[in-house]
Amino acid sequence: MGTEFWVVAEHRGGQLRRPTLEALGAARQVAQAAGGKTAAVVLGKNAGNLAAELGKHGAARVLWVDNDNLDVYSSGGYTHALAELARAQKPDAIVFAASAQTRDLAPRLAARLDTGLLPDCIEMNWDASDGRILAKRFVNSGKALATVKARGTPALLTTRPKAFAIASDTGGTADVVRCDISIDASHCFGKVKQYEQPAAAKVELTEADIIVSGGRGLKGPAEFAILDELAAVLGAAVGASRAAVDAGWREHAAQVGQTGKVVTPKLYIACGISGAIQHLVGMTNSKVIVAINKDADAPLMKLADYAVVADLFLFVPALTAELKRSQK
Ligand SMILES: Cc1cc2nc3c(=O)[nH]c(=O)nc-3n(C[C@H](O)[C@H](O)[C@H](O)COP(=O)(O)OP(=O)(O)OC[C@H]3O[C@@H](n4cnc5c(N)ncnc54)[C@H](O)[C@@H]3O)c2cc1C
């Protein structure tokens, strides 16, 4: 078989997660440059029905490990299944969309296969001179952009959500290959017991095009209602600074920053957030940044594309009302 790049599909409740299709777009473009093909790997008992969508978006093959023990994510089970599959089929690269799950899985797999891992890539290219993948990723808390070369075979990479376009619909179909991997309950340590949907996260933060985020300037949990209202009008997700999360005003799933989530929306509206470096790390690559703050000298006001010097309790409701009016 020629060059083949794999994308490991992440799915929940019978649905593919959107960043998987972005990872597929990235992998397909590099595979084409390398004169190779893209395959998707699907783990789980009833997951074979995802093949049609993966085929449409450019996977020439879908390798389906159909096993009861893979129905729910486990660190041990998924690592074992992927390692066995990779050893048998020898792909050139394995690409994952960066997520809480793959932050656990990809390093384990890299260690098991004794290969390198490039996490959170925002660009991927093919270097024909030595037949390796060149990727770009932020380092030093987002202050520098490094161009790095994948080492080891297979090369392992994760793609940052929203950094790549979703693979376009080619109308193609994938050959579904059922793969028999011997796996039993003893492999499946670190099993997820249940997924909880945070009440406030109607739109998943890392997948949102627009984020309205609040900090200590909000003064309390009830006051976040004005951000919820603005977010509802914009179809946005609501994020928070660590100060707001530590105060118990918002759940940890909403935290943006070094110890929270890294987000790259088209529009990030920061309300009452000063812009400490640990917060900036999580949102600095947003396309357009709006900061609303009483203090014109707050660090985030310097970084913002639009810095609004205002009391957020006056400005945000007025903005929401104006947007509602314009949508009528
Ligand atoms: C190891 C480590 C990891 C960390 N990880 C994170 C992280 O992941 N994410 C994160 O966010 N932080 C993180 N922090 C904390 C970070 O250093 C800051 O303390 C935090 O980001 C501050 O949150 P804030 O901007 O909401 O609060 P503040 O810095 O207190 O800022 C509040 C802002 O609100 C403005 N304001 C007040 N009232 C109004 C009003 N009525 N209208 C408009 N503006 C108003 C003020 O002018 C001020 O600029 C971390 C810190 C450490 C040490």
Side-chain angles (χ1 to χ4, degrees), residues 216 219 241-242 255-256 258-259 274 278-279 293 312:
R216 202 181 336 245
K219 312 268 191 271
S241 73
R242 178 162 162 180
Q255 186 177 315
V256 173
Q258 186 179 321
T259 42
S274 60
Q278 296 90 352
H279 188 80
N293 201 309
L312 71 92

Side-chain angles (χ1 to χ4, degrees), residues 3-20:
T3 305
E4 190 170 66
F5 289 180
W6 288 2
V7 172
V8 179
E10 192 168 337
H11 55 94
R12 205 166 294 161
Q15 301 287 320
L16 276 178
R17 307 212 61 203
R18 177 196 150 103
T20 289

